Amino acid sequence: MHPALLVDEVLRIILDHIDHDSNRPPALKAFYRLATVCRAWKDPALDYLWASLTSVDPLLGLLSDDTPHGGVSPDAPSRFYSYASRVRNLGQSTCSLPRLKLCPNIIGAIVSGSLVLPSLRSVCLVLKDPTKQKFPFNLYLSQSLRSVSVDVGFRSSKEMLGLCEALHVYLDAVARISTNLQHLRLRGQLSDLVVNTVPSMRELRSLSICGGSQLMPRTLASIACFPKLEDLRLQLDCPNIAYLADSLSAGPNTSAEVLFAHLPGGKLRTVHLESDLKLRSVDAWTPALAILAERTHSTLTDLTLEALTSFCEAFDDHAFPPKLHFTLPALAPLARLTHLRRFTLDSSLPPDLGDADLVTLASWWPEIEELALWSRPFDAFDFPAYFTTATTTTTTQQPRATPASFAVLAVRCPRLRQLSLPIDLAVLPPRAHPPLAVPSQTALARLTIGCVRTGEKTIDPAGLAECLYRAFPALEEVEFDCGEAETSWTDVLGCYYGLGGRAVPI
């Protein structure tokens, strides 16, 4: 054996590669075999073998009766502690070993609150069946804890009430003992007592709560003031809320408004706002957007609004139910975000925007680089009706945006690299005589157009291609989204790339 392999640091580097480069079962077999090679390799290999357990059973199995007379071995406690000190990551759903057959000294220490897993750094508990959770939560306490994940499921029962009470006591102990806890994830039918333990964990860097409960305004206000929080996701009996490494995501409701109002100003750079699938007016976003813009107008560069709606519930027989299309007034608070570089509107129905509205948007965000105002609508969406019917959301009828908007966006958004928006391609601006000079907007590389094409005579391929080329002459990818209709756009693409002397990309 090479002497270098007897150096502990070198051996652990090798074991670390095995741990990261192999699937878990083969790696465990390798660690077991390496632990039997020699004394120099035993402890490092056992450290890796016991570092991550998907169940507490192997550890508690060291305490079970293993003597010929059915008793517990005298050296069981020392053996347990020697391996328990190696455990860093622990998962658990149920304990299959009855407590009556375990070493009473260790069980007593766990029940009394003694920390028997001193190196434990992360815990993942799946407790969807409270009748099978008979082991005390104190086992999962450690001063070294950095991450705790608990999933209790969404079943309501009397046993679940007792489980939530025990979970409340456990999380309260975690807040007191594990002062360096950085990550907390809670999922399931959570009680108010459980959720109310969260504000005491002020050192958290990430927090995820997905449960059938509400957060009190004071709890939301406390969470918003966590000094180190980088990632926040809240999904309750109301729209979602999420906060990503200098970012935040939330839904359009009073809870989001409370959270936004307590955010520290001048820090957020990226925001992802997501609502649930309930049928609601887009105007519900406006109050929260106004507060968000007030708190982040000097720093926010990336904003996503995800407003997907479930249409399973019945509603009035309108082709387009009112207030489900985003309009310029609904987005008006975002005018303050003058440093915005990426904006995505992901909704079940396309926005109700005309050429004048796009001109206004372009004036709001002169530094915009990625503008996405089109996403694939729900399956029953009527493409022809949307693109051929004038809207009536205002007192005067207004047509959909047309290709005339391309030239305005090219002039006012010189940094634009990606663009997607709904356009009525049947309405082309009049051709200029002589032709307009090609603008300097060569940054746009990808364009997605939501549109409809019902017949070859509806669209003028050469005219549309010229309109695109005069605005954005350097496009590398152009996509026309007509829903499920299999419509060829090769004639338009051929004309466009032909104007620049290029072949159509394959």
Side-chain angles (χ1 to χ4, degrees):
M1 181 185 299
H2 195 284
L5 296 177
L6 299 177
V7 179
D8 187 79
E9 292 79 1
V10 174
L11 180 60
R12 289 182 183 274
I13 291 175
I14 297 174
L15 296 176
D16 196 58
H17 279 288
I18 296 175
D19 194 33
H20 287 87
D21 296 342
S22 304
N23 293 328
R24 194 62 187 161
L28 292 177
K29 292 181 180 179
F31 296 145
Y32 171 77
R33 292 167 181 167
L34 291 173
T36 63
V37 172
C38 63
R39 291 183 179 180
W41 289 11
K42 179 180 178 181
D43 280 336
L46 288 178
D47 286 344
Y48 278 84
L49 180 63
W50 286 85
S52 298
L53 300 180
T54 57
S55 169
V56 76
D57 284 355
L59 192 60
L60 297 181
L62 301 173
L63 304 175
S64 61
D65 52 347
D66 55 0
T67 64
H69 303 289
V72 178
S73 172
D75 64 346
S78 60
R79 183 174 54 186
F80 173 85
Y81 283 114
S82 68
Y83 288 103
S85 63
R86 305 175 192 271
V87 178
R88 296 178 177 272
N89 310 300
L90 181 59
Q92 185 63 35
S93 55
T94 60
C95 176
S96 62
L97 299 176
R99 289 177 58 178
L100 295 177
K101 295 185 178 182
L102 302 179
C103 176
N105 294 338
I106 301 297
I107 300 301
I110 295 173
V111 173
S112 66
S114 298
L115 306 182
V116 298
L117 301 176
S119 302
L120 189 63
R121 294 179 61 87
S122 71
V123 173
C124 181
L125 304 176
V126 181
L127 311 171
K128 297 183 179 181
D129 188 350
T131 62
K132 296 183 179 181
Q133 176 55 37
K134 300 179 180 180
F135 209 79
F137 284 118
N138 288 346
L139 174 65
Y140 311 107
L141 286 175
S142 171
Q143 293 180 340
S144 303
L145 266 181
R146 298 293 185 272
S147 175
V148 173
S149 176
V150 181
D151 184 353
V152 299
F154 291 92
R155 291 184 178 181
S156 298
S157 64
K158 294 181 179 179
E159 292 81 3
M160 186 61 69
L161 295 177
L163 178 63
C164 285
E165 175 61 29
L167 184 58
H168 160 65
V169 174
Y170 169 68
L171 291 177
D172 185 65
V174 168
R176 289 184 287 103
I177 296 172
S178 308
T179 55
N180 292 320
L181 187 72
Q182 298 180 0
H183 311 285
L184 176 64
R185 177 182 176 271
L186 303 176
R187 183 181 183 275
Q189 196 71 30
L190 306 168
S191 67
D192 292 338
L193 286 176
V194 171
V195 175
N196 288 340
T197 60
V198 174
S200 59
M201 304 177 184
R202 291 185 54 82
E203 299 300 309
L204 287 177
R205 293 184 179 274
S206 69
L207 171 62
S208 174
I209 302 179
C210 175
S213 63
Q214 297 280 2
L215 286 183
M216 297 296 291
R218 62 177 179 271
T219 303
L220 283 170
S222 298
I223 291 173
C225 295
F226 282 4
K228 299 180 181 179
L229 194 62
E230 297 175 351
D231 184 275
L232 172 63
R233 297 181 180 274
L234 306 180
Q235 183 177 353
L236 310 171
D237 284 339
C238 53
N240 296 349
I241 307 178
Y243 194 139
L244 301 173
D246 285 336
S247 65
L248 178 112
S249 152
N253 57 49
T254 56
S255 296
E257 294 169 35
V258 171
L259 183 65
F260 289 157
H262 288 83
L263 289 174
K267 291 187 177 181
L268 274 177
R269 292 178 174 82
T270 302
V271 173
H272 184 114
L273 305 176
E274 176 185 350
S275 71
D276 58 14
L277 299 179
K278 294 179 180 178
L279 200 66
R280 60 165 55 83
S281 170
V282 296
D283 291 339
W285 288 86
T286 306
L289 292 179
I291 298 175
L292 177 66
E294 179 182 356
R295 306 294 294 174
T296 65
H297 64 87
S298 62
T299 58
L300 196 64
T301 61
D302 192 333
L303 175 60
T304 298
L305 304 184
E306 186 174 335
L308 302 179
T309 301
S310 173
F311 292 93
C312 295
E313 300 178 5
F315 48 81
D316 293 339
D317 293 331
H318 295 90
F320 307 106
K323 297 296 184 179
L324 290 181
H325 295 272
F326 274 88
T327 61
L328 190 67
L331 301 174
L334 305 182
R336 299 189 62 183
L337 303 179
T338 56
H339 300 289
L340 204 62
R341 296 187 178 181
R342 285 168 291 276
F343 178 70
T344 299
L345 179 60
D346 187 4
S347 55
S348 296
L349 295 176
D352 182 4
L353 300 173
D355 289 333
D357 297 327
L358 292 181
V359 171
T360 302
L361 289 180
S363 66
W364 290 353
W365 308 320
E367 300 179 16
I368 196 74
E369 297 177 4
E370 298 178 15
L371 181 59
L373 300 176
W374 171 264
S375 58
R376 178 62 66 86
F378 73 107
D379 291 342
F381 178 71
D382 190 340
F383 275 77
Y386 173 80
F387 285 104
T388 59
T389 305
T391 64
T392 57
T393 56
T394 59
T395 54
T396 59
Q397 289 190 335
Q398 155 184 295
R400 303 295 178 189
T402 70
S405 299
F406 293 146
V408 176
L409 292 172
V411 173
R412 299 203 176 190
C413 303
R415 301 182 181 181
L416 195 61
R417 295 184 290 107
Q418 295 186 25
L419 174 64
S420 61
L421 69 170
I423 291 290
D424 182 1
L425 297 181
V427 183
L428 296 177
R431 295 187 181 184
H433 298 285
L436 297 174
V438 177
S440 59
Q441 217 301 15
T442 58
L444 192 70
R446 183 175 181 180
L447 174 64
T448 300
I449 301 175
C451 54
V452 64
R453 185 174 186 175
T454 57
E456 293 300 321
K457 296 182 180 180
T458 304
I459 304 296
D460 176 7
L464 176 57
E466 181 179 350
C467 186
L468 283 173
Y469 186 77
R470 295 301 172 187
F472 305 113
L475 287 172
E476 299 176 1
E477 181 179 348
V478 183
E479 178 183 357
F480 297 91
D481 187 357
C482 302
E484 298 181 355
E486 295 183 359
T487 307
S488 173
W489 293 88
T490 54
D491 50 356
V492 178
L493 296 177
C495 292
Y496 172 82
Y497 288 106
L499 290 173
R502 295 183 291 166
V504 178
I506 299 176

